[in-house]
Short mmCIF file of all heavy atoms in Angstrom, two decimals:
data_model
loop_
_atom_site.label_atom_id
_atom_site.label_comp_id
_atom_site.label_asym_id
_atom_site.label_seq_id
_atom_site.Cartn_x
_atom_site.Cartn_y
_atom_site.Cartn_z
N SER G 214 -44.02 11.61 21.55
CA SER G 214 -45.06 12.10 20.67
C SER G 214 -44.52 13.19 19.78
O SER G 214 -45.07 14.31 19.64
CB SER G 214 -46.22 12.64 21.44
OG SER G 214 -46.78 11.57 22.25
N ILE G 215 -43.36 12.93 19.11
CA ILE G 215 -42.69 13.92 18.22
C ILE G 215 -43.34 13.84 16.87
O ILE G 215 -43.54 12.72 16.31
CB ILE G 215 -41.18 13.66 18.20
CG1 ILE G 215 -40.61 13.80 19.61
CG2 ILE G 215 -40.50 14.66 17.24
CD1 ILE G 215 -39.13 13.43 19.66
N ALA G 216 -43.59 14.95 16.23
CA ALA G 216 -44.42 15.02 15.00
C ALA G 216 -43.72 14.30 13.83
O ALA G 216 -44.38 13.60 13.05
CB ALA G 216 -44.71 16.46 14.64
N THR G 217 -42.43 14.50 13.65
CA THR G 217 -41.76 13.99 12.45
C THR G 217 -40.57 13.16 12.87
O THR G 217 -39.94 13.30 13.92
CB THR G 217 -41.31 15.09 11.52
OG1 THR G 217 -40.24 15.86 12.16
CG2 THR G 217 -42.47 16.03 11.15
N PHE G 218 -40.19 12.23 11.92
CA PHE G 218 -39.01 11.41 12.12
C PHE G 218 -37.77 12.29 12.21
O PHE G 218 -36.83 12.00 13.02
CB PHE G 218 -38.88 10.39 10.96
CG PHE G 218 -37.73 9.43 11.12
CD1 PHE G 218 -37.88 8.26 11.85
CD2 PHE G 218 -36.48 9.69 10.54
CE1 PHE G 218 -36.83 7.35 11.99
CE2 PHE G 218 -35.46 8.79 10.69
CZ PHE G 218 -35.63 7.62 11.41
N GLU G 219 -37.66 13.30 11.41
CA GLU G 219 -36.51 14.20 11.39
C GLU G 219 -36.27 14.84 12.77
O GLU G 219 -35.19 14.89 13.28
CB GLU G 219 -36.66 15.25 10.30
CG GLU G 219 -35.40 16.14 10.17
CD GLU G 219 -35.46 17.05 8.96
OE1 GLU G 219 -36.46 16.96 8.23
OE2 GLU G 219 -34.54 17.83 8.78
N LYS G 220 -37.41 15.34 13.38
CA LYS G 220 -37.33 15.98 14.69
C LYS G 220 -36.97 14.94 15.75
O LYS G 220 -36.24 15.26 16.70
CB LYS G 220 -38.61 16.68 15.01
CG LYS G 220 -38.88 17.94 14.18
CD LYS G 220 -40.14 18.60 14.55
CE LYS G 220 -40.40 19.86 13.71
NZ LYS G 220 -41.67 20.54 14.04
N ALA G 221 -37.53 13.73 15.58
CA ALA G 221 -37.17 12.68 16.54
C ALA G 221 -35.70 12.29 16.45
O ALA G 221 -35.08 12.03 17.50
CB ALA G 221 -38.07 11.45 16.23
N ALA G 222 -35.12 12.31 15.25
CA ALA G 222 -33.73 12.03 15.10
C ALA G 222 -32.88 13.07 15.79
O ALA G 222 -31.89 12.75 16.45
CB ALA G 222 -33.38 11.92 13.60
N ALA G 223 -33.29 14.37 15.63
CA ALA G 223 -32.56 15.44 16.32
C ALA G 223 -32.66 15.27 17.85
O ALA G 223 -31.66 15.47 18.55
CB ALA G 223 -33.13 16.76 15.90
N ALA G 224 -33.82 14.85 18.33
CA ALA G 224 -33.98 14.65 19.78
C ALA G 224 -33.13 13.49 20.26
O ALA G 224 -32.52 13.53 21.33
CB ALA G 224 -35.46 14.40 20.09
N ALA G 225 -33.06 12.44 19.46
CA ALA G 225 -32.27 11.25 19.82
C ALA G 225 -30.77 11.59 19.94
O ALA G 225 -30.06 11.04 20.74
CB ALA G 225 -32.51 10.12 18.81
N VAL G 226 -30.32 12.53 19.04
CA VAL G 226 -28.94 12.98 19.15
C VAL G 226 -28.73 13.72 20.45
O VAL G 226 -27.75 13.51 21.16
CB VAL G 226 -28.59 13.92 17.95
CG1 VAL G 226 -27.25 14.53 18.17
CG2 VAL G 226 -28.57 13.08 16.64
N GLN G 227 -29.65 14.62 20.79
CA GLN G 227 -29.51 15.40 22.05
C GLN G 227 -29.51 14.49 23.27
O GLN G 227 -28.84 14.75 24.27
CB GLN G 227 -30.67 16.37 22.15
CG GLN G 227 -30.64 17.45 21.06
CD GLN G 227 -29.41 18.35 21.21
OE1 GLN G 227 -28.99 18.69 22.31
NE2 GLN G 227 -28.85 18.75 20.03
N MET G 228 -30.26 13.38 23.22
CA MET G 228 -30.29 12.41 24.32
C MET G 228 -29.13 11.45 24.36
O MET G 228 -29.00 10.67 25.28
CB MET G 228 -31.60 11.65 24.24
CG MET G 228 -32.87 12.47 24.34
SD MET G 228 -34.34 11.44 24.12
CE MET G 228 -35.59 12.70 23.93
N GLY G 229 -28.28 11.54 23.32
CA GLY G 229 -27.16 10.63 23.26
C GLY G 229 -27.51 9.21 22.80
O GLY G 229 -26.74 8.28 22.98
N ARG G 230 -28.72 9.06 22.21
CA ARG G 230 -29.11 7.73 21.75
C ARG G 230 -28.51 7.36 20.39
O ARG G 230 -28.39 6.16 20.10
CB ARG G 230 -30.67 7.66 21.66
CG ARG G 230 -31.33 7.84 23.07
CD ARG G 230 -32.84 7.73 22.96
NE ARG G 230 -33.48 7.84 24.28
CZ ARG G 230 -34.78 7.71 24.49
NH1 ARG G 230 -35.63 7.55 23.44
NH2 ARG G 230 -35.30 7.80 25.72
N ILE G 231 -28.27 8.37 19.59
CA ILE G 231 -27.59 8.13 18.28
C ILE G 231 -26.58 9.29 18.15
O ILE G 231 -26.67 10.30 18.80
CB ILE G 231 -28.55 8.08 17.12
CG1 ILE G 231 -29.26 9.46 16.93
CG2 ILE G 231 -29.59 6.99 17.24
CD1 ILE G 231 -30.06 9.53 15.62
N THR G 232 -25.64 9.07 17.20
CA THR G 232 -24.64 10.10 16.90
C THR G 232 -25.14 11.01 15.77
O THR G 232 -26.09 10.68 15.05
CB THR G 232 -23.32 9.49 16.50
OG1 THR G 232 -23.51 8.81 15.23
CG2 THR G 232 -22.79 8.49 17.55
N GLU G 233 -24.48 12.13 15.61
CA GLU G 233 -24.85 12.98 14.49
C GLU G 233 -24.63 12.32 13.15
O GLU G 233 -25.40 12.52 12.19
CB GLU G 233 -24.02 14.32 14.54
CG GLU G 233 -24.44 15.20 15.73
CD GLU G 233 -23.70 16.53 15.70
OE1 GLU G 233 -22.90 16.75 14.75
OE2 GLU G 233 -23.92 17.35 16.59
N ALA G 234 -23.54 11.53 13.04
CA ALA G 234 -23.26 10.83 11.80
C ALA G 234 -24.37 9.82 11.50
O ALA G 234 -24.81 9.69 10.33
CB ALA G 234 -21.91 10.13 11.86
N GLU G 235 -24.84 9.14 12.54
CA GLU G 235 -25.93 8.15 12.34
C GLU G 235 -27.23 8.88 11.96
O GLU G 235 -27.97 8.41 11.10
CB GLU G 235 -26.13 7.36 13.62
CG GLU G 235 -24.97 6.39 13.88
CD GLU G 235 -24.98 5.81 15.26
OE1 GLU G 235 -25.63 6.36 16.18
OE2 GLU G 235 -24.33 4.75 15.47
N ARG G 236 -27.44 10.05 12.54
CA ARG G 236 -28.65 10.85 12.17
C ARG G 236 -28.59 11.19 10.68
O ARG G 236 -29.57 11.08 9.96
CB ARG G 236 -28.66 12.11 12.98
CG ARG G 236 -29.77 13.11 12.58
CD ARG G 236 -29.39 14.49 13.00
NE ARG G 236 -28.16 14.97 12.36
CZ ARG G 236 -27.43 16.02 12.79
NH1 ARG G 236 -27.80 16.68 13.86
NH2 ARG G 236 -26.33 16.37 12.15
#
Side-chain angles (χ1 to χ4, degrees):
S214 300
I215 300 174
T217 66
F218 183 86
E219 184 171 358
K220 291 180 178 179
V226 170
Q227 294 297 321
M228 298 175 192
R230 296 181 177 183
I231 64 172
T232 66
E233 291 185 359
E235 290 167 340
R236 174 204 61 197

